[in-house]
Short mmCIF file of all heavy atoms in Angstrom, two decimals:
data_model
loop_
_atom_site.label_atom_id
_atom_site.label_comp_id
_atom_site.label_asym_id
_atom_site.label_seq_id
_atom_site.Cartn_x
_atom_site.Cartn_y
_atom_site.Cartn_z
N LYS A 6 -55.89 75.06 -67.23
CA LYS A 6 -56.28 75.68 -65.95
C LYS A 6 -55.18 75.50 -64.90
O LYS A 6 -54.51 74.47 -64.91
CB LYS A 6 -57.57 74.99 -65.42
CG LYS A 6 -58.80 75.25 -66.27
CD LYS A 6 -60.00 74.53 -65.64
CE LYS A 6 -61.22 74.70 -66.54
NZ LYS A 6 -62.37 73.96 -65.97
N PRO A 7 -55.08 76.45 -64.01
CA PRO A 7 -54.11 76.32 -62.89
C PRO A 7 -54.58 75.30 -61.89
O PRO A 7 -55.80 75.00 -61.80
CB PRO A 7 -54.08 77.73 -62.30
CG PRO A 7 -55.40 78.31 -62.59
CD PRO A 7 -55.78 77.73 -63.95
N LYS A 8 -53.66 74.78 -61.17
CA LYS A 8 -53.97 73.83 -60.09
C LYS A 8 -54.47 74.56 -58.85
O LYS A 8 -53.93 75.58 -58.49
CB LYS A 8 -52.73 72.98 -59.77
CG LYS A 8 -52.26 72.13 -60.92
CD LYS A 8 -50.90 71.48 -60.66
CE LYS A 8 -50.48 70.62 -61.85
NZ LYS A 8 -49.09 70.16 -61.72
N ALA A 9 -55.49 74.02 -58.24
CA ALA A 9 -56.02 74.64 -57.03
C ALA A 9 -54.97 74.60 -55.91
O ALA A 9 -54.18 73.64 -55.82
CB ALA A 9 -57.27 73.89 -56.59
N GLU A 10 -55.01 75.61 -55.06
CA GLU A 10 -54.18 75.63 -53.89
C GLU A 10 -55.06 75.35 -52.67
O GLU A 10 -56.28 75.59 -52.71
CB GLU A 10 -53.54 77.05 -53.71
CG GLU A 10 -52.59 77.36 -54.86
CD GLU A 10 -51.90 78.72 -54.67
OE1 GLU A 10 -52.08 79.34 -53.62
OE2 GLU A 10 -51.19 79.11 -55.58
N ASP A 11 -54.42 74.83 -51.63
CA ASP A 11 -55.16 74.58 -50.39
C ASP A 11 -55.93 75.86 -50.04
O ASP A 11 -55.37 76.97 -50.09
CB ASP A 11 -54.20 74.25 -49.28
CG ASP A 11 -53.66 72.81 -49.37
OD1 ASP A 11 -53.99 72.09 -50.32
OD2 ASP A 11 -52.87 72.43 -48.48
N GLY A 12 -57.16 75.74 -49.66
CA GLY A 12 -57.97 76.90 -49.25
C GLY A 12 -58.61 77.61 -50.40
O GLY A 12 -59.24 78.66 -50.21
N HIS A 13 -58.53 77.05 -51.60
CA HIS A 13 -59.14 77.72 -52.78
C HIS A 13 -60.59 78.11 -52.52
O HIS A 13 -61.01 79.23 -52.83
CB HIS A 13 -59.09 76.76 -54.02
CG HIS A 13 -59.83 77.27 -55.20
ND1 HIS A 13 -59.30 78.25 -56.03
CD2 HIS A 13 -61.10 77.02 -55.63
CE1 HIS A 13 -60.22 78.53 -56.97
NE2 HIS A 13 -61.29 77.76 -56.73
N ALA A 14 -61.38 77.20 -52.02
CA ALA A 14 -62.76 77.44 -51.66
C ALA A 14 -63.26 76.25 -50.85
O ALA A 14 -62.73 75.13 -50.96
CB ALA A 14 -63.64 77.58 -52.93
N LEU A 15 -64.27 76.48 -50.07
CA LEU A 15 -65.00 75.35 -49.39
C LEU A 15 -64.03 74.44 -48.60
O LEU A 15 -64.22 73.22 -48.60
CB LEU A 15 -65.81 74.54 -50.42
CG LEU A 15 -66.82 75.37 -51.21
CD1 LEU A 15 -67.48 74.51 -52.32
CD2 LEU A 15 -67.90 75.96 -50.30
N ASP A 16 -63.04 75.04 -47.99
CA ASP A 16 -62.08 74.29 -47.16
C ASP A 16 -61.29 73.23 -47.97
O ASP A 16 -60.84 72.24 -47.42
CB ASP A 16 -62.78 73.59 -45.98
CG ASP A 16 -63.48 74.56 -45.08
OD1 ASP A 16 -62.90 75.60 -44.73
OD2 ASP A 16 -64.65 74.30 -44.68
N TYR A 17 -61.14 73.51 -49.25
CA TYR A 17 -60.41 72.59 -50.12
C TYR A 17 -58.96 72.36 -49.68
O TYR A 17 -58.26 73.33 -49.29
CB TYR A 17 -60.41 73.11 -51.56
CG TYR A 17 -59.56 72.27 -52.50
CD1 TYR A 17 -60.09 71.13 -53.09
CD2 TYR A 17 -58.25 72.65 -52.77
CE1 TYR A 17 -59.30 70.34 -53.93
CE2 TYR A 17 -57.46 71.88 -53.63
CZ TYR A 17 -57.99 70.70 -54.17
OH TYR A 17 -57.21 69.94 -55.01
N VAL A 18 -58.51 71.11 -49.77
CA VAL A 18 -57.09 70.78 -49.61
C VAL A 18 -56.71 69.79 -50.72
O VAL A 18 -57.55 69.00 -51.16
CB VAL A 18 -56.79 70.14 -48.24
CG1 VAL A 18 -56.86 71.20 -47.13
CG2 VAL A 18 -57.77 68.98 -47.93
N ASN A 19 -55.47 69.88 -51.13
CA ASN A 19 -54.99 69.03 -52.20
C ASN A 19 -54.77 67.55 -51.76
O ASN A 19 -54.71 66.67 -52.59
CB ASN A 19 -53.68 69.56 -52.79
CG ASN A 19 -53.98 70.68 -53.77
OD1 ASN A 19 -54.83 70.56 -54.63
ND2 ASN A 19 -53.22 71.78 -53.70
N ASN A 20 -54.66 67.38 -50.47
CA ASN A 20 -54.57 65.99 -49.94
C ASN A 20 -55.62 65.87 -48.82
O ASN A 20 -55.44 66.40 -47.75
CB ASN A 20 -53.15 65.74 -49.40
CG ASN A 20 -52.98 64.30 -48.95
OD1 ASN A 20 -53.97 63.54 -48.89
ND2 ASN A 20 -51.78 63.91 -48.60
N GLY A 21 -56.70 65.19 -49.15
CA GLY A 21 -57.78 65.08 -48.17
C GLY A 21 -57.34 64.54 -46.84
O GLY A 21 -57.89 64.90 -45.81
N ALA A 22 -56.37 63.67 -46.88
CA ALA A 22 -55.85 63.09 -45.62
C ALA A 22 -55.29 64.11 -44.68
O ALA A 22 -55.17 63.89 -43.47
CB ALA A 22 -54.80 62.02 -45.93
N ASP A 23 -54.97 65.32 -45.22
CA ASP A 23 -54.46 66.41 -44.40
C ASP A 23 -55.60 67.18 -43.68
O ASP A 23 -55.35 68.00 -42.79
CB ASP A 23 -53.71 67.44 -45.22
CG ASP A 23 -52.38 66.94 -45.71
OD1 ASP A 23 -51.87 65.91 -45.18
OD2 ASP A 23 -51.83 67.57 -46.65
N SER A 24 -56.83 66.95 -44.12
CA SER A 24 -57.90 67.75 -43.61
C SER A 24 -58.25 67.42 -42.16
O SER A 24 -58.32 66.26 -41.78
CB SER A 24 -59.18 67.58 -44.47
OG SER A 24 -60.21 68.43 -43.99
N THR A 25 -58.52 68.49 -41.38
CA THR A 25 -58.98 68.29 -40.01
C THR A 25 -60.45 68.67 -39.91
O THR A 25 -60.99 68.78 -38.83
CB THR A 25 -58.16 69.14 -39.03
OG1 THR A 25 -58.22 70.52 -39.46
CG2 THR A 25 -56.68 68.70 -39.05
N HIS A 26 -61.09 68.88 -41.07
CA HIS A 26 -62.49 69.29 -41.07
C HIS A 26 -63.37 68.18 -40.49
O HIS A 26 -63.15 67.01 -40.73
CB HIS A 26 -62.90 69.58 -42.52
CG HIS A 26 -64.16 70.37 -42.63
ND1 HIS A 26 -65.41 69.79 -42.46
CD2 HIS A 26 -64.38 71.66 -42.93
CE1 HIS A 26 -66.34 70.71 -42.60
NE2 HIS A 26 -65.77 71.86 -42.92
N GLU A 27 -64.36 68.60 -39.73
CA GLU A 27 -65.24 67.63 -39.04
C GLU A 27 -66.00 66.74 -40.04
O GLU A 27 -66.40 65.63 -39.69
CB GLU A 27 -66.24 68.34 -38.12
CG GLU A 27 -67.16 69.30 -38.86
CD GLU A 27 -68.08 70.05 -37.89
OE1 GLU A 27 -67.94 69.91 -36.67
OE2 GLU A 27 -68.93 70.81 -38.39
N LYS A 28 -66.24 67.24 -41.25
CA LYS A 28 -66.98 66.44 -42.22
C LYS A 28 -66.12 65.45 -43.01
O LYS A 28 -66.62 64.58 -43.68
CB LYS A 28 -67.69 67.34 -43.22
CG LYS A 28 -68.85 68.11 -42.63
CD LYS A 28 -69.45 69.12 -43.60
CE LYS A 28 -70.02 68.42 -44.85
NZ LYS A 28 -70.61 69.42 -45.79
N TYR A 29 -64.79 65.64 -42.94
CA TYR A 29 -63.90 64.77 -43.69
C TYR A 29 -63.99 63.35 -43.13
O TYR A 29 -63.86 63.12 -41.95
CB TYR A 29 -62.48 65.27 -43.71
CG TYR A 29 -61.55 64.25 -44.33
CD1 TYR A 29 -61.55 64.07 -45.69
CD2 TYR A 29 -60.71 63.46 -43.55
CE1 TYR A 29 -60.72 63.12 -46.30
CE2 TYR A 29 -59.87 62.51 -44.14
CZ TYR A 29 -59.88 62.34 -45.52
OH TYR A 29 -59.09 61.42 -46.09
N GLN A 30 -64.09 62.38 -44.05
CA GLN A 30 -64.03 60.97 -43.64
C GLN A 30 -62.95 60.27 -44.51
O GLN A 30 -62.84 60.52 -45.72
CB GLN A 30 -65.35 60.26 -43.88
CG GLN A 30 -66.46 60.83 -42.95
CD GLN A 30 -67.76 60.06 -43.09
OE1 GLN A 30 -68.13 59.62 -44.17
NE2 GLN A 30 -68.47 59.92 -41.99
N GLU A 31 -62.18 59.43 -43.86
CA GLU A 31 -61.09 58.73 -44.54
C GLU A 31 -61.59 58.08 -45.80
O GLU A 31 -62.63 57.42 -45.82
CB GLU A 31 -60.49 57.70 -43.60
CG GLU A 31 -59.19 57.10 -44.13
CD GLU A 31 -58.57 56.13 -43.11
OE1 GLU A 31 -59.03 56.11 -41.93
OE2 GLU A 31 -57.65 55.44 -43.51
N GLY A 32 -60.82 58.26 -46.87
CA GLY A 32 -61.20 57.61 -48.14
C GLY A 32 -61.98 58.56 -49.08
O GLY A 32 -62.06 58.29 -50.27
N ASN A 33 -62.50 59.60 -48.51
CA ASN A 33 -63.22 60.59 -49.36
C ASN A 33 -62.20 61.42 -50.12
O ASN A 33 -61.27 61.96 -49.52
CB ASN A 33 -64.09 61.52 -48.51
CG ASN A 33 -65.23 60.82 -47.83
OD1 ASN A 33 -65.45 59.65 -48.05
ND2 ASN A 33 -65.96 61.56 -47.01
N LYS A 34 -62.37 61.52 -51.42
CA LYS A 34 -61.44 62.36 -52.23
C LYS A 34 -62.12 62.69 -53.53
O LYS A 34 -63.08 62.10 -53.94
CB LYS A 34 -60.15 61.58 -52.48
CG LYS A 34 -60.33 60.18 -53.03
CD LYS A 34 -58.98 59.48 -53.04
CE LYS A 34 -59.10 57.99 -53.40
NZ LYS A 34 -57.81 57.33 -53.38
N CYS A 35 -61.51 63.72 -54.19
CA CYS A 35 -62.10 64.22 -55.41
C CYS A 35 -62.39 63.13 -56.42
O CYS A 35 -63.41 63.14 -57.09
CB CYS A 35 -61.21 65.29 -56.02
SG CYS A 35 -61.08 66.80 -55.01
N SER A 36 -61.49 62.19 -56.55
CA SER A 36 -61.64 61.19 -57.60
C SER A 36 -62.84 60.21 -57.36
O SER A 36 -63.21 59.47 -58.27
CB SER A 36 -60.37 60.40 -57.81
OG SER A 36 -60.01 59.68 -56.65
N ASN A 37 -63.41 60.25 -56.14
CA ASN A 37 -64.63 59.44 -55.92
C ASN A 37 -65.78 60.35 -55.48
O ASN A 37 -66.73 59.86 -54.88
CB ASN A 37 -64.39 58.24 -55.02
CG ASN A 37 -63.91 58.63 -53.62
OD1 ASN A 37 -64.19 59.72 -53.12
ND2 ASN A 37 -63.22 57.71 -52.95
N CYS A 38 -65.70 61.61 -55.87
CA CYS A 38 -66.76 62.58 -55.60
C CYS A 38 -67.66 62.71 -56.81
O CYS A 38 -67.20 62.63 -57.97
CB CYS A 38 -66.12 63.93 -55.26
SG CYS A 38 -67.30 65.30 -55.07
N ALA A 39 -68.92 62.96 -56.56
CA ALA A 39 -69.91 63.09 -57.65
C ALA A 39 -69.59 64.28 -58.57
O ALA A 39 -70.03 64.34 -59.72
CB ALA A 39 -71.30 63.21 -57.09
N PHE A 40 -68.84 65.27 -58.06
CA PHE A 40 -68.52 66.43 -58.87
C PHE A 40 -67.27 66.25 -59.74
O PHE A 40 -66.95 67.07 -60.58
CB PHE A 40 -68.28 67.67 -57.97
CG PHE A 40 -69.53 68.23 -57.35
CD1 PHE A 40 -69.83 67.93 -56.03
CD2 PHE A 40 -70.38 69.05 -58.08
CE1 PHE A 40 -70.99 68.48 -55.43
CE2 PHE A 40 -71.53 69.59 -57.50
CZ PHE A 40 -71.84 69.29 -56.19
N TRP A 41 -66.54 65.16 -59.51
CA TRP A 41 -65.30 64.91 -60.27
C TRP A 41 -65.62 64.78 -61.74
O TRP A 41 -66.53 64.00 -62.15
CB TRP A 41 -64.67 63.64 -59.73
CG TRP A 41 -63.45 63.12 -60.39
CD1 TRP A 41 -63.32 61.91 -61.03
CD2 TRP A 41 -62.12 63.68 -60.39
NE1 TRP A 41 -62.01 61.73 -61.44
CE2 TRP A 41 -61.24 62.79 -61.06
CE3 TRP A 41 -61.59 64.86 -59.87
CZ2 TRP A 41 -59.89 63.04 -61.21
CZ3 TRP A 41 -60.24 65.11 -60.04
CH2 TRP A 41 -59.42 64.23 -60.69
N ALA A 42 -64.91 65.46 -62.58
CA ALA A 42 -65.14 65.42 -64.04
C ALA A 42 -64.10 64.59 -64.78
O ALA A 42 -64.09 64.59 -66.02
CB ALA A 42 -65.17 66.84 -64.58
N GLY A 43 -63.24 63.91 -64.06
CA GLY A 43 -62.25 63.07 -64.71
C GLY A 43 -60.87 63.67 -64.70
O GLY A 43 -60.71 64.89 -64.71
N GLU A 44 -59.91 62.78 -64.71
CA GLU A 44 -58.50 63.24 -64.69
C GLU A 44 -58.11 63.84 -65.99
O GLU A 44 -58.47 63.32 -67.06
CB GLU A 44 -57.58 62.04 -64.36
CG GLU A 44 -56.12 62.43 -64.24
CD GLU A 44 -55.26 61.33 -63.69
OE1 GLU A 44 -55.76 60.49 -62.90
OE2 GLU A 44 -54.05 61.29 -64.05
N GLU A 45 -57.34 64.91 -65.97
CA GLU A 45 -56.79 65.52 -67.16
C GLU A 45 -55.33 65.12 -67.37
O GLU A 45 -54.93 64.73 -68.43
CB GLU A 45 -56.96 67.03 -67.15
CG GLU A 45 -58.44 67.42 -67.21
CD GLU A 45 -58.69 68.85 -67.56
OE1 GLU A 45 -57.71 69.59 -67.91
OE2 GLU A 45 -59.85 69.29 -67.50
N SER A 46 -54.56 65.24 -66.30
CA SER A 46 -53.17 64.77 -66.39
C SER A 46 -52.54 64.76 -65.02
O SER A 46 -52.83 65.62 -64.16
CB SER A 46 -52.37 65.67 -67.32
OG SER A 46 -52.17 66.92 -66.76
N GLY A 47 -51.70 63.76 -64.81
CA GLY A 47 -50.86 63.71 -63.61
C GLY A 47 -51.58 63.77 -62.29
O GLY A 47 -51.05 64.27 -61.31
N GLY A 48 -52.79 63.18 -62.26
CA GLY A 48 -53.50 63.19 -60.99
C GLY A 48 -54.32 64.42 -60.72
O GLY A 48 -54.89 64.57 -59.64
N TRP A 49 -54.44 65.28 -61.70
CA TRP A 49 -55.26 66.50 -61.57
C TRP A 49 -56.36 66.44 -62.57
O TRP A 49 -56.22 65.95 -63.69
CB TRP A 49 -54.40 67.77 -61.85
CG TRP A 49 -53.33 67.95 -60.86
CD1 TRP A 49 -52.10 67.39 -60.80
CD2 TRP A 49 -53.42 68.83 -59.65
NE1 TRP A 49 -51.43 67.83 -59.68
CE2 TRP A 49 -52.20 68.71 -58.99
CE3 TRP A 49 -54.43 69.68 -59.16
CZ2 TRP A 49 -51.95 69.39 -57.81
CZ3 TRP A 49 -54.16 70.36 -57.97
CH2 TRP A 49 -52.94 70.19 -57.31
N GLY A 50 -57.53 66.93 -62.19
CA GLY A 50 -58.68 66.85 -63.09
C GLY A 50 -59.71 67.92 -62.75
O GLY A 50 -59.54 68.74 -61.85
N GLY A 51 -60.79 67.89 -63.48
CA GLY A 51 -61.83 68.90 -63.32
C GLY A 51 -62.82 68.55 -62.20
O GLY A 51 -63.04 67.41 -61.87
N CYS A 52 -63.45 69.61 -61.68
CA CYS A 52 -64.52 69.52 -60.69
C CYS A 52 -65.71 70.29 -61.26
O CYS A 52 -65.52 71.46 -61.68
CB CYS A 52 -64.05 70.10 -59.35
SG CYS A 52 -65.45 70.32 -58.18
N ARG A 53 -66.86 69.71 -61.26
CA ARG A 53 -68.06 70.38 -61.84
C ARG A 53 -68.67 71.40 -60.89
O ARG A 53 -69.58 72.11 -61.30
CB ARG A 53 -69.12 69.34 -62.19
CG ARG A 53 -68.67 68.37 -63.27
CD ARG A 53 -69.85 67.55 -63.77
NE ARG A 53 -69.42 66.51 -64.73
CZ ARG A 53 -69.05 65.27 -64.37
NH1 ARG A 53 -69.09 64.88 -63.11
NH2 ARG A 53 -68.70 64.41 -65.27
N HIS A 54 -68.22 71.46 -59.64
CA HIS A 54 -68.82 72.48 -58.76
C HIS A 54 -68.38 73.87 -59.22
O HIS A 54 -67.20 74.09 -59.51
CB HIS A 54 -68.34 72.23 -57.33
CG HIS A 54 -69.08 73.03 -56.33
ND1 HIS A 54 -68.85 74.36 -56.13
CD2 HIS A 54 -70.10 72.69 -55.47
CE1 HIS A 54 -69.67 74.83 -55.21
NE2 HIS A 54 -70.43 73.83 -54.80
N PRO A 55 -69.31 74.82 -59.27
CA PRO A 55 -68.98 76.17 -59.77
C PRO A 55 -67.82 76.83 -59.05
O PRO A 55 -67.06 77.63 -59.66
CB PRO A 55 -70.27 76.97 -59.54
CG PRO A 55 -71.36 75.94 -59.49
CD PRO A 55 -70.73 74.67 -58.93
N GLN A 56 -67.62 76.53 -57.79
CA GLN A 56 -66.51 77.15 -57.05
C GLN A 56 -65.14 76.73 -57.55
O GLN A 56 -64.12 77.33 -57.21
CB GLN A 56 -66.61 76.81 -55.56
CG GLN A 56 -67.79 77.39 -54.83
CD GLN A 56 -67.58 78.80 -54.35
OE1 GLN A 56 -66.49 79.36 -54.58
NE2 GLN A 56 -68.53 79.40 -53.73
N PHE A 57 -65.12 75.66 -58.34
CA PHE A 57 -63.83 75.15 -58.82
C PHE A 57 -63.77 75.19 -60.33
O PHE A 57 -62.90 74.52 -60.97
CB PHE A 57 -63.64 73.70 -58.28
CG PHE A 57 -63.53 73.64 -56.81
CD1 PHE A 57 -64.63 73.44 -56.01
CD2 PHE A 57 -62.27 73.82 -56.20
CE1 PHE A 57 -64.52 73.41 -54.62
CE2 PHE A 57 -62.15 73.78 -54.81
CZ PHE A 57 -63.30 73.60 -54.01
N SER A 58 -64.61 75.99 -60.98
CA SER A 58 -64.66 75.99 -62.46
C SER A 58 -63.39 76.54 -63.08
O SER A 58 -63.12 76.25 -64.25
CB SER A 58 -65.86 76.83 -62.90
OG SER A 58 -65.77 78.16 -62.47
N SER A 59 -62.59 77.31 -62.35
CA SER A 59 -61.42 77.94 -62.93
C SER A 59 -60.12 77.21 -62.65
O SER A 59 -59.07 77.68 -63.04
CB SER A 59 -61.29 79.39 -62.42
OG SER A 59 -61.08 79.40 -61.03
N VAL A 60 -60.22 76.11 -61.93
CA VAL A 60 -59.01 75.38 -61.51
C VAL A 60 -59.14 73.89 -61.73
O VAL A 60 -60.26 73.35 -61.91
CB VAL A 60 -58.68 75.64 -60.02
CG1 VAL A 60 -58.32 77.10 -59.76
CG2 VAL A 60 -59.88 75.19 -59.14
N LEU A 61 -58.02 73.21 -61.67
CA LEU A 61 -57.97 71.74 -61.60
C LEU A 61 -57.86 71.37 -60.13
O LEU A 61 -57.24 72.10 -59.36
CB LEU A 61 -56.79 71.19 -62.37
CG LEU A 61 -56.78 71.40 -63.87
CD1 LEU A 61 -55.47 70.88 -64.45
CD2 LEU A 61 -57.99 70.77 -64.54
N VAL A 62 -58.47 70.28 -59.76
CA VAL A 62 -58.34 69.78 -58.41
C VAL A 62 -57.55 68.48 -58.42
O VAL A 62 -57.50 67.77 -59.42
CB VAL A 62 -59.72 69.59 -57.72
CG1 VAL A 62 -60.43 70.97 -57.63
CG2 VAL A 62 -60.60 68.61 -58.48
N ASN A 63 -57.00 68.15 -57.28
CA ASN A 63 -56.21 66.94 -57.17
C ASN A 63 -57.10 65.75 -56.92
O ASN A 63 -58.05 65.79 -56.15
CB ASN A 63 -55.19 67.05 -56.02
CG ASN A 63 -54.11 66.02 -56.12
OD1 ASN A 63 -54.32 64.85 -55.83
ND2 ASN A 63 -52.93 66.44 -56.54
N ALA A 64 -56.76 64.62 -57.57
CA ALA A 64 -57.56 63.38 -57.37
C ALA A 64 -57.61 63.03 -55.91
O ALA A 64 -58.64 62.45 -55.44
CB ALA A 64 -56.93 62.25 -58.19
N GLU A 65 -56.61 63.35 -55.13
CA GLU A 65 -56.54 63.06 -53.70
C GLU A 65 -57.10 64.16 -52.84
O GLU A 65 -57.06 64.14 -51.63
CB GLU A 65 -55.13 62.76 -53.26
CG GLU A 65 -54.48 61.56 -53.99
CD GLU A 65 -55.18 60.23 -53.65
OE1 GLU A 65 -55.58 60.09 -52.49
OE2 GLU A 65 -55.28 59.39 -54.54
N GLY A 66 -57.62 65.21 -53.52
CA GLY A 66 -58.11 66.39 -52.78
C GLY A 66 -59.46 66.16 -52.13
O GLY A 66 -60.07 65.09 -52.28
N TRP A 67 -59.91 67.21 -51.44
CA TRP A 67 -61.21 67.13 -50.78
C TRP A 67 -61.68 68.52 -50.45
O TRP A 67 -60.86 69.41 -50.19
CB TRP A 67 -61.05 66.34 -49.43
CG TRP A 67 -62.35 66.16 -48.68
CD1 TRP A 67 -63.30 65.18 -48.86
CD2 TRP A 67 -62.85 66.96 -47.62
NE1 TRP A 67 -64.34 65.36 -48.00
CE2 TRP A 67 -64.09 66.48 -47.22
CE3 TRP A 67 -62.38 68.14 -46.99
CZ2 TRP A 67 -64.86 67.04 -46.21
CZ3 TRP A 67 -63.14 68.70 -45.99
CH2 TRP A 67 -64.39 68.15 -45.61
N CYS A 68 -63.03 68.73 -50.48
CA CYS A 68 -63.59 69.96 -49.96
C CYS A 68 -64.88 69.62 -49.24
O CYS A 68 -65.37 68.49 -49.30
CB CYS A 68 -63.84 70.97 -51.09
SG CYS A 68 -65.42 70.72 -51.97
N ASN A 69 -65.43 70.63 -48.52
CA ASN A 69 -66.56 70.31 -47.64
C ASN A 69 -67.89 70.11 -48.40
O ASN A 69 -68.91 69.87 -47.77
CB ASN A 69 -66.69 71.37 -46.56
CG ASN A 69 -67.10 72.73 -47.09
OD1 ASN A 69 -67.78 72.85 -48.08
ND2 ASN A 69 -66.65 73.78 -46.39
N THR A 70 -67.85 70.17 -49.73
CA THR A 70 -69.03 69.89 -50.53
C THR A 70 -68.93 68.48 -51.15
O THR A 70 -69.73 68.14 -52.02
CB THR A 70 -69.18 70.98 -51.61
OG1 THR A 70 -69.27 72.22 -50.94
CG2 THR A 70 -70.47 70.84 -52.41
N TYR A 71 -67.98 67.73 -50.70
CA TYR A 71 -67.81 66.36 -51.21
C TYR A 71 -69.14 65.60 -51.17
O TYR A 71 -69.86 65.62 -50.15
CB TYR A 71 -66.79 65.62 -50.31
CG TYR A 71 -66.69 64.15 -50.67
CD1 TYR A 71 -65.86 63.69 -51.66
CD2 TYR A 71 -67.44 63.19 -49.95
CE1 TYR A 71 -65.77 62.34 -52.03
CE2 TYR A 71 -67.37 61.86 -50.26
CZ TYR A 71 -66.53 61.44 -51.29
OH TYR A 71 -66.46 60.11 -51.60
N VAL A 72 -69.45 64.90 -52.26
CA VAL A 72 -70.61 64.06 -52.35
C VAL A 72 -70.13 62.70 -52.90
O VAL A 72 -69.51 62.64 -53.97
CB VAL A 72 -71.68 64.62 -53.31
CG1 VAL A 72 -72.85 63.66 -53.48
CG2 VAL A 72 -72.19 65.96 -52.80
N PRO A 73 -70.38 61.62 -52.20
CA PRO A 73 -69.89 60.34 -52.70
C PRO A 73 -70.54 59.96 -54.01
O PRO A 73 -71.67 60.36 -54.28
CB PRO A 73 -70.28 59.33 -51.59
CG PRO A 73 -71.21 60.05 -50.70
CD PRO A 73 -71.06 61.51 -50.92
N GLY A 74 -69.78 59.26 -54.84
CA GLY A 74 -70.42 58.74 -56.05
C GLY A 74 -69.72 59.02 -57.36
O GLY A 74 -70.25 58.75 -58.41
N GLY A 75 -68.51 59.57 -57.30
CA GLY A 75 -67.82 59.88 -58.54
C GLY A 75 -67.26 58.64 -59.24
O GLY A 75 -67.36 57.57 -58.74
FE1 LIG B 4 -63.18 67.64 -54.96
FE2 LIG B 4 -65.77 67.06 -54.97
FE3 LIG B 4 -64.93 69.18 -53.66
FE4 LIG B 4 -64.90 69.12 -56.33
S1 LIG B 4 -66.74 69.10 -54.99
S2 LIG B 4 -63.26 69.89 -54.98
S3 LIG B 4 -64.41 67.01 -56.75
S4 LIG B 4 -64.42 67.06 -53.14
#
């Protein structure tokens, strides 16, 4: 799968620390999100949310559907 680009969907960014979204909280990132499906390689992995089914997301990434618990 290709790597997601910033803005792929749901205000996604590859580095959550770059986000200025009102819902973003420091420390929130794909690798500790409930939708994270695990790393595939080099810090990129799957996301179970349907909006990201066609791409890999970055472990340090973030989107506005973040749910703690990954
Ligand atoms: Fe990352 Fe979670 Fe958003 Fe998927 S749902 S892109 S794992 S923050």
Side-chain angles (χ1 to χ4, degrees):
K6 291 181 185 178
K8 295 170 180 172
E10 296 182 5
D11 285 2
H13 172 81
L15 303 174
D16 301 316
Y17 174 83
V18 287
N19 280 314
N20 185 352
D23 289 344
S24 183
T25 56
H26 196 283
E27 61 184 5
K28 289 175 63 179
Y29 173 73
Q30 295 184 325
E31 190 176 349
N33 293 356
K34 52 187 171 181
C35 292
S36 63
N37 60 27
C38 173
F40 288 101
W41 176 244
E44 183 170 331
E45 294 196 6
S46 69
W49 295 83
C52 168
R53 296 191 187 91
H54 191 284
Q56 292 276 1
F57 295 91
S58 61
S59 65
V60 293
L61 294 176
V62 297
N63 195 285
E65 299 294 325
W67 182 85
C68 84
N69 67 29
T70 303
Y71 173 85
V72 176

